[in-house]
Amino acid sequence: MIRVLCVGTATDVGKTWVGAAVLEGLRGRGLNVVARKPVQSFDPAEPGPTDADVLAAATGEHPDDVCPGHRWYPMAMAPPIAASLLERDGFLVADLAGELTWGDVDLVWIETVGGPRSPMADDGDSADLARWVLPDLVLLVADAGLGTINAVRLAATPFAGRLVVVVLNRYDEGNDIHRTNAVFLVRDGFDLVVNVDDLVDRLEHFTAESP
């Protein structure tokens, strides 16, 4: 069993979309996968599913299995800030990590919130969560366009010493900016993936090699 921590360089880079596509792909290859989002905040007036709903649809789970019902905060702000403004109890990274459970599976996909330094709890962020869940792999999802090189360099820093794979979402081989960004990141030494199928291949192989 492997643990994958999915982190974005920022909000709205598509990490939930990437997660759903990858998890569906792995399920299609016969792997037993689950998704976990320790906490989520959202705009209740915005139509469409929450991140937990999307990930649950991809894995065949119930949304409350993906994100515990008491960790849904209907306010579009960082979860601990939303909790405070909603006059709900505060919580720590240890609380979120302690609520994560799963059975005998091949892969656990743990999605964080916002960027790596976005608050996840009163005392920490995605990098702090990583110290609790001990992921085998950190997937850093970034947009492929302008600003990506800077965003990836900054966002990868808190995960120094861990195995990090960068996913360029919305990548278009015919786009000069996207292609140049990819070249620079590879030159910087980043392990880079630019499409979901390749990422599914990588994770399937990684899972097969896991003890």
Side-chain angles (χ1 to χ4, degrees):
M1 189 269 289
I2 66 170
R3 304 181 188 192
V4 176
L5 186 70
C6 180
V7 183
T9 54
T11 302
D12 294 330
V13 294
K15 61 182 177 293
T16 303
W17 181 90
V18 169
V22 169
L23 291 165
E24 286 177 352
L26 291 171
R27 283 186 74 197
R29 298 187 186 190
L31 273 70
N32 186 7
V33 299
V34 296
R36 295 292 179 264
K37 191 170 180 80
V39 61
Q40 69 172 359
S41 53
F42 55 94
D43 183 353
E46 185 174 317
T50 68
D51 292 347
D53 291 314
V54 173
L55 293 171
T59 60
E61 301 174 275
H62 190 280
D64 283 348
D65 292 327
V66 174
C67 181
H70 65 285
R71 298 299 181 201
W72 294 46
Y73 296 94
M75 180 176 287
M77 302 187 76
I81 299 173
S84 177
L85 293 175
L86 291 167
E87 299 183 344
R88 291 170 58 177
D89 291 342
F91 53 92
L92 306 178
V93 173
D95 297 324
L96 299 181
E99 292 170 355
L100 293 174
T101 61
W102 50 79
D104 183 15
V105 297
D106 298 310
L107 181 144
V108 179
W109 183 280
I110 304 170
E111 180 180 290
T112 64
V113 302
R117 289 303 191 189
S118 297
M120 284 196 71
D122 290 328
D123 65 339
D125 52 31
S126 299
D128 295 307
L129 181 67
R131 287 189 280 272
W132 282 88
V133 303
L134 301 176
D136 300 288
L137 172 67
V138 175
L139 279 180
L140 181 59
V141 180
D143 187 81
L146 286 172
T148 293
I149 296 172
N150 176 69
V152 169
R153 286 172 170 173
L154 289 174
T157 301
F159 303 103
R162 300 189 185 278
L163 179 60
V164 177
V165 173
V166 177
V167 183
L168 287 189
N169 191 26
R170 312 181 183 108
Y171 182 83
D172 178 1
E173 182 64 32
N175 186 301
D176 289 341
I177 294 173
H178 293 189
R179 193 169 59 252
T180 303
N181 283 342
V183 169
F184 267 76
L185 289 171
V186 170
R187 190 192 66 179
D188 274 355
F190 287 103
D191 188 349
L192 193 71
V193 178
V194 298
N195 67 71
V196 167
D197 288 341
D198 286 349
L199 183 53
V200 171
D201 289 341
R202 291 279 299 276
L203 291 177
E204 181 183 30
H205 182 69
F206 192 24
T207 301
E209 290 187 335
S210 177

